Amino acid sequence: KAGVTQTPRYLIKTRGQQVTLSCSPISGHRSVSWYQQTPGQGLQFLFEYFSETQRNKGNFPGRFSGRQFSNSRSEMNVSTLELGDSALYLCASSLAELAGTDTQYFGPGTRLTVL
Amino acid sequence: AQSVTQPDIHITVSEGASLELRCNYSYGATPYLFWYVQSPGQGLQLLLKYFSGDTLVQGIKGFEAEFKRSQSSFNLRKPSVHWSDAAEYFCAVDLNNAGNMLTFGGGTRLMVKP
């Protein structure tokens, strides 16, 4: 089975722009979560989507949003980019079959640099 | 608030030596616990997980971890380290015990001396 794929792998944007990142989960996985990784804050949970609905949300401003499509693929959008948004954005997918026993598998990440 | 602490930011061990990476959590109930490893420029790879049952869990690449409720700890161990184990290791707790909303520790960077 192919793993979690994320596109693009690298991205450079300027302040004020917006960006969309894409994540394709492992085949059959229905839950997709997003995390931000920075040297200062470490790994932080952004949000989780299941059946095209946001099911859990971390403590990030409304500039960070996402969506999930019927094929479980997910996109994450950041509007009005700030320098502090420079980070590695990781997507993780899980089966979400049985409550309480799920395990997340991570993609390689998208490295976003904001200039 | 729930939190995960990895007290050691950096650890250096000699190849062939044993390894123990520490992880402590602050959480009201018995959480779901995970260890992930991240090589430079890569995503996270799951090493092992604990949901319930036997408190000593075996993972991939020869790693094991022991859940100790009394100490709120979930330390990762390996009896003999290989140079390829050099990476960053993250302990994580599942906030809602569903496996899809993780709180991570700050990570421990492991260096292996030849």
Side-chain angles (χ1 to χ4, degrees), chain B residues 11-28:
Chain B
I11 281 185
T12 301
V13 300
S14 298
E15 191 167 17
S18 64
L19 171 71
E20 182 169 25
L21 302 182
R22 296 182 291 163
C23 173
N24 294 96
Y25 64 89
S26 168
Y27 192 58

Side-chain angles (χ1 to χ4, degrees), chain A residues 65-86:
Chain A
S65 63
R67 59 177 176 169
Q68 187 181 34
F69 302 95
S70 58
N71 61 358
S72 293
R73 191 177 69 85
S74 176
E75 288 181 348
M76 187 193 113
N77 184 274
V78 188
S79 62
T80 319
L81 283 166
E82 301 176 359
L83 294 178
D85 297 333
S86 294

Side-chain angles (χ1 to χ4, degrees), chain A residues 31-38 41-50 53-61 64-65 74 76 88-94 102 104 106, chain B residues 36 44 92-96 98-105:
Chain A
S31 168
V32 174
S33 295
W34 289 89
Y35 294 83
Q36 182 196 64
Q37 185 177 25
T38 61
Q41 299 299 316
L43 279 154
Q44 294 183 284
F45 172 80
L46 279 156
F47 30 63
E48 183 233 355
Y49 285 86
F50 175 78
T53 301
Q54 188 181 87
R55 189 163 65 170
N56 291 294
K57 188 178 188 305
N59 188 26
F60 277 81
F64 293 83
S65 63
S74 176
M76 187 193 113
L88 181 67
Y89 289 89
L90 293 163
C91 167
S93 74
S94 61
D102 224 4
Q104 292 191 311
F106 284 79
Chain B
Y36 286 87
L44 300 171
V93 169
D94 178 14
L95 284 174
N96 60 0
N100 50 23
M101 186 175 165
L102 301 177
T103 295
F104 286 88

